Amino acid sequence: MLQQTTVAAVIPFFERWMARFPKVEVLAAASEDEVLTYWQGLGYYSRARNIHQAAEMITDHGWPDSVEGLRALPGIGAYTAGAVGSIAFGWDVPLVDGNVERVFARLTVCYESGSKLNRLAWDWAHGVLAKGHAGDWNQALMELGATVCRPVNPSCVDCPVSNSCFAFASDLVNELPVPKKKTEWVELRHIVVVPICEGKFGVRRVPEGRWWQGMWEFPREEDSVPGLDELAGLLGSGWEELGKIKHVVTKHKITVRVFIVRLESEVSGLEWVAPEDLDGLALPAPTAKIARMLYGELGLLV
Ligand code: SF4
């Protein structure tokens, strides 16, 4: 939950999650839909699907006994495997997060950035690991980065390792680490059509291989965006444009044009749900925004 999210934002989600899924076996036995519902609001839903699958694998085969075994679980990368291995299981394994990268760059005056900085920081973390106390050591390194060797205004005068810090000795602290290259944004345009029939909305499962796979959404076109004339031909009569929403996923800025179409009979291939039942479905953030447009800000449009 803490990947890409702050501790303060996570706490209420974590507490609800632990109350519902107190043991790995309970999580494994839950449906994916329910797991996604408990994740709703945290974004990056692949993490919820991964932890669910990992719980199933652990329930079936037991807990891994090595970093490689942890990394074989879905959603566990090098950092998480190091954190779980050293802190939860007491193994002599290092970890590198953004805080450790920064401490490393300053202590050693490393001018690399991005993946090269990360690789060098891992080599360094292996070399300096306090064997027998790896969990405490790793937490101390991360805390040093989070509270003393901060990105801006580090407290070098209070720093317990200032005597060994080459950036401090050379007055280079504020130059390091060097910034990563700027994100190159990709602009995307999607069209969403909300079918309405006899007071119900038509929704579908997001197909495999697309963002938000397995969740529920109004039919969405993401590859080719038809022009208005073409769209009118596709929708027939009884459609109107509702508005636009904007959404960001990783480096993609998505503009979604939202249309509603009123149908005389339910079409197949969609599930038809009453507005009050939409909340019970696992909805990706853009779909939840559209639902709010439909029956919140604009008044119920069914
Ligand atoms: S002396 Fe300053 S720059 Fe060096 S590790 Fe400590 S806080 Fe970071």
Side-chain angles (χ1 to χ4, degrees):
M1 283 183 185
L2 286 166
Q3 288 167 0
Q4 314 274 345
T5 318
T6 62
V7 173
V10 156
I11 288 171
F13 290 95
F14 178 75
E15 286 176 345
R16 268 197 301 140
W17 179 277
M18 291 308 293
R20 172 63 188 90
F21 310 117
K23 284 176 171 284
V24 72
E25 295 82 6
V26 179
L27 178 58
S31 70
E32 184 176 295
D33 263 353
E34 189 184 11
V35 171
L36 291 173
T37 306
Y38 273 76
W39 201 270
Q40 213 164 321
L42 283 169
Y44 298 93
Y45 289 89
S46 57
R47 296 176 298 171
R49 277 189 286 272
N50 284 337
I51 195 173
H52 187 219
Q53 280 172 22
E56 289 170 342
M57 289 166 74
I58 291 166
T59 302
D60 289 348
H61 306 292
W63 286 93
D65 57 5
S66 66
V67 163
E68 292 71 33
L70 285 173
R71 291 203 61 177
L73 295 172
I76 305 256
Y79 162 74
T80 309
V84 173
S86 64
I87 300 169
F89 296 135
W91 303 337
D92 277 336
V93 289
L95 60 75
V96 170
D97 70 350
N99 289 314
V100 176
E101 270 185 8
R102 183 168 57 256
V103 170
F104 159 73
R106 288 173 174 165
L107 279 175
T108 66
V109 183
C110 175
Y111 275 89
E112 299 294 349
S113 67
S115 56
K116 189 137 191 222
L117 170 64
N118 182 264
R119 210 166 46 246
L120 293 169
W122 273 101
D123 290 344
W124 173 80
H126 271 283
V128 297
L129 186 71
K131 293 205 170 131
H133 307 278
D136 289 342
W137 172 262
N138 287 335
Q139 288 182 75
L141 262 185
M142 290 190 285
E143 277 303 291
L144 181 71
T147 61
V148 181
C149 194
R150 297 180 296 261
V152 180
N153 294 330
S155 298
C156 297
V157 285
D158 302 319
C159 177
V161 292
S162 57
N163 283 344
S164 342
C165 178
F166 285 101
F168 184 54
S170 326
D171 201 15
L172 294 170
V173 173
N174 291 325
E175 282 187 25
L176 292 163
V178 294
K180 264 198 285 199
K181 278 195 218 138
K182 273 199 172 159
T183 307
E184 288 183 13
W185 290 103
V186 179
E187 305 266 352
L188 297 176
R189 292 185 305 151
H190 291 184
I191 290 253
V192 164
V193 177
V194 182
I196 301 176
C197 180
E198 293 181 355
K200 290 185 173 174
F201 296 127
V203 293
R204 64 169 189 184
R205 284 251 190 219
V206 181
E208 215 167 300
R210 286 182 143 192
W211 284 324
W212 312 298
Q213 138 188 354
M215 300 182 78
W216 291 90
E217 65 171 7
F218 303 115
R220 174 172 53 98
E221 184 62 59
E222 64 181 36
D223 301 318
S224 61
V225 175
L228 265 191
D229 289 345
E230 195 186 339
L231 192 71
L234 288 172
L235 295 177
S237 58
W239 65 275
E240 61 187 274
E241 182 159 4
L242 201 59
K244 278 187 192 150
I245 59 163
K246 292 190 182 283
H247 192 71
V248 173
V249 179
T250 58
K251 59 179 187 170
H252 303 87
K253 287 185 178 173
I254 311 168
T255 303
V256 185
R257 287 178 73 181
V258 184
F259 296 82
I260 58 172
V261 60
R262 296 178 192 279
L263 303 172
E264 308 223 317
S265 56
E266 295 180 358
V267 294
S268 60
L270 297 175
E271 292 286 324
W272 292 88
V273 293
E276 61 274 19
D277 295 332
L278 267 184
D279 277 348
L281 299 178
L283 304 177
T287 308
K289 270 187 211 170
I290 294 168
R292 282 198 297 278
M293 279 170 93
L294 288 168
Y295 59 86
E297 293 149 26
L298 297 180
L300 195 54
L301 281 181
V302 291

